[in-house]
């Protein structure tokens, strides 16, 4: 059966529709360039509501396992691939990717020229798109604020003892929690709408999580958050990084087409080193908006020069636009967790160098 990926600019792509192609889905269309990591991408809450195009031509070859989910369920609205294998091969594989998508009623398309789709997105920018049975899909107005859809409602605690970190939940990935637990940290996951609870929790440090949609959706909590940032050592990851910039009076803007993949080079201006990073974002901090704020740029993207991380000029506040927790992608930036936790332990103030 035929299916169509319809972009809002009128371009359409034909492909083969999956078994559960019985409802049209609309979402922002984005492309991910990693060769592996599809399970992590599909379950990462930062992808909430998006239609993901995998540019690598063969997806699903190691199946779906019990370990790699970043949350309990698939978060994307639809998936577009060139080829999706029905016969996975891996000792941990529990089911095929197609079965997993069908079980959760997520429509997907195969036999799509994903290179052509990617070229269209690169030329015209990230936009709304639909998976539809026909080419005449009628676009609906979009409803914002995806963070509310993925952020939890109550405080959850993990780990027994050790330094206490509050993980502010904008839609956290399991790998961020794991990176902290592996380092002997006790974690309280705190919904972003309950930031005022930090005064009761009195953590040793806070980590601001990743999350879906526009970082400006957090505007209501920014004044409270800024007070917390000035009080507790803070590390912001992806949306958390963007929120730190906004809280201190910086600004964010949307890239024409975001960074999503496992090999984005980032330069650390402190060490002069370049490393590869895992990325998934549409928005970036505007460099000129940092003038007059206490934030300075620590990391740059080597490809397009955009800001990849910040540090505060006098407090222990640091951030990364990329994903040091990886999953998917290289672990080359994992040292940032060690760096941050060591600085917290040593009450590091000015130096952010490991
Ligand atoms: N992974 C994230 O936290 C993404 C942040 C934000 N939603 C963006 O697209 O830029």
């Amino acid at each position: 059966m035929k299916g169509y990926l319809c972009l809002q600019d009128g371009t359409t792509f034909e492909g083969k529709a999956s078994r559960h192609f019985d409802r049209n889905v609309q979402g922002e269309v984005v492309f991910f360039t990693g060769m592996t990591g599809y399970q992590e991408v599909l379950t990462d809450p930062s992808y909430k509501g998006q239609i993901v195009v995998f540019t690598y031509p063969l997806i699903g070859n190691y199946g779906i396992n019990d370990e790699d989910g970043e949350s309990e369920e698939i978060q994307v609205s639809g998936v577009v691939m060139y080829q999706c294998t029905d016969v996975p091969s891996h000792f941990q594989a529990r089911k095929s990717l197609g079965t997993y998508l069908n079980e959760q009623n997520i429509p997907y398309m195969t036999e799509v020229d994903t290179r052509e789709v990617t070229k269209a997105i690169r030329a015209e920018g990230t936009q709304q798109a639909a998976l539809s049975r026909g080419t005449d899909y009628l676009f609906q107005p979009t409803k914002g604020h995806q963070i509310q859809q993925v952020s939890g409602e109550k405080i959850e605690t993990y780990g027994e003892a050790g330094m206490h970190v509050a993980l502010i939940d904008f839609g956290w990935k399991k790998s961020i929690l794991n990176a902290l637990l592996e380092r002997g940290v006790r974690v309280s996951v705190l919904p972003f709408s309950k930031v005022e609870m930090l005064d009761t929790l009195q953590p040793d440090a806070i980590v601001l999580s990743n999350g879906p949609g526009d970082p400006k959706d957090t505007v209501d909590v920014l004044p409270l958050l800024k007070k917390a940032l000035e009080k507790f050592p803070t590390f912001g990851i992806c949306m958390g990084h963007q929120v730190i910039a906004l809280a201190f009076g910086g600004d964010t803007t949307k890239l024409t087409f975001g960074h999503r993949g496992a090999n984005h080079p980032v330069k650390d201006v402190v060490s002069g080193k370049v490393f590869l990073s895992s990325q998934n974002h549409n928005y970036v901090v505007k460099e000129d908006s940092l003038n007059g704020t206490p934030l300075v740029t620590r990391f740059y993207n080597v490809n397009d020069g955009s800001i990849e991380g910040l540090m505060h000029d006098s407090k222990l506040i640091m951030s990364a636009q990329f994903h040091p927790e990886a999953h998917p992608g290289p672990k080359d930036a994992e040292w940032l967790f060690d760096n941050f936790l060591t600085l917290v332990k040593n009450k590091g103030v000015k130096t952010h160098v490991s």
Side-chain angles (χ1 to χ4, degrees), residues 99-217:
T99 302
Y100 183 54
L101 289 164
N102 286 336
E103 273 174 5
Q104 296 192 36
N105 207 11
I106 306 295
Y108 65 95
M109 269 169 74
T110 51
E111 296 178 17
V112 178
D113 185 346
T114 52
R115 295 164 303 178
E116 207 55 47
V117 178
T118 304
K119 277 167 138 180
I121 299 171
R122 287 175 62 116
E124 301 305 323
T126 304
Q127 55 189 288
Q128 286 290 304
L131 294 186
S132 165
R133 277 205 200 277
T135 53
D136 52 353
Y137 180 79
L138 215 58
F139 280 89
Q140 309 295 317
T142 51
K143 289 180 235 112
H145 222 320
Q146 282 120 324
I147 307 172
Q148 270 164 356
Q149 295 171 34
V150 292
S151 176
E153 267 157 28
K154 46 183 197 318
I155 302 175
E156 288 167 21
T157 51
Y158 300 86
E160 306 282 286
M163 187 193 293
H164 182 203
V165 169
L167 175 59
I168 312 291
D169 173 17
F170 299 108
W172 60 285
K173 285 171 68 183
K174 187 188 76 184
S175 296
I176 296 181
L177 173 69
N178 286 349
L180 293 168
L181 293 177
E182 279 162 18
R183 289 167 173 79
V185 167
R186 183 163 58 95
V187 181
S188 297
V189 177
L190 184 63
F192 82 103
S193 54
K194 291 196 164 54
V195 171
E196 74 281 357
M197 288 298 291
L198 284 168
D199 280 335
T200 318
L201 285 176
Q202 284 297 322
D204 297 304
I206 60 185
V207 172
L208 305 181
S209 86
N210 61 295
D214 190 340
K216 288 182 186 162
D217 289 341

Side-chain angles (χ1 to χ4, degrees), residues 17-71:
S18 64
R19 191 159 9 110
H20 290 282
F21 218 76
D22 41 9
R23 60 192 179 102
N24 293 336
V25 291
Q26 182 183 322
E28 190 176 57
V29 65
V30 297
F31 62 88
F32 174 83
T33 59
M35 292 171 70
T36 58
Y38 48 85
Q39 186 173 344
E40 294 91 324
V41 166
L42 300 179
T43 53
D44 176 347
S46 308
Y47 282 95
K48 183 76 193 172
Q50 290 175 323
I51 295 174
V52 177
V53 180
F54 287 103
T55 63
Y56 190 67
L58 174 60
I59 298 293
N61 46 350
Y62 52 89
I64 295 293
N65 61 39
D66 291 336
E67 285 78 29
D68 288 343
E70 285 296 329
S71 66

